[in-house]
Amino acid sequence: MRAGRTTGIACVLFLRWLFALFHLLAAVNKLRLGWLWSDQLRQLFIERLGELEPSSFAVVFLQSFGIPLYLPIAWVVTVAEFAVAASLFLGLCTRAGALLALWLMLMFGIGGYYDASLIALGAWGALFVLLPTGHWQGMDRRLHARHPRSLWFR
């Protein structure tokens, strides 16, 4: 039974690091494409408007929020993706990092970028919210021992 548990933990940790790598590469790609200092995201939102049902909530969301605030959104998304990657790679505030990833997936879906991959990515993120992977491998275990009442390291 112990070998099965160890194998299961190793598989979940591998998935955590893979999820972290996904977010790191997504953030690096946004830097490479110049999202933080250009209207790249605005153009992407405008392009997406033409693909969506005109009466959908995503269109209202993009017209009212996404397009007018494209640059702050680009910064928030990029910084959040770096934060998720750091959290999950280090096992530091792992559950909070996974919640941040889930929030990103939800915002992408609201913005009209929904497809089956968001369901899979959401399930992956939920796995790291539910399981104490930062205690298995990461800084959460040591910090929880030092600060047992803190929600950040549970």
Side-chain angles (χ1 to χ4, degrees), residues 1-15 17 131 133 136-137:
M1 189 63 149
R2 182 91 174 130
R5 184 176 190 276
T6 302
T7 302
I9 287 173
C11 288
V12 171
L13 288 173
F14 175 75
L15 290 175
W17 294 322
L131 296 175
T133 64
W136 297 338
Q137 178 70 39

Side-chain angles (χ1 to χ4, degrees), residues 49-100:
L49 278 177
E51 301 167 357
L52 296 169
E53 177 66 35
S55 63
S56 71
F57 178 76
V59 168
V60 173
F61 182 81
L62 288 174
Q63 288 174 335
S64 316
F65 182 75
I67 293 171
L69 298 172
Y70 73 91
L71 204 52
I73 290 170
W75 276 86
V76 167
V77 169
T78 304
V79 169
E81 286 178 334
F82 275 122
V84 168
S87 170
L88 297 180
F89 273 131
L90 298 173
L92 174 63
C93 302
T94 309
R95 287 181 164 148
L99 279 172
L100 182 57

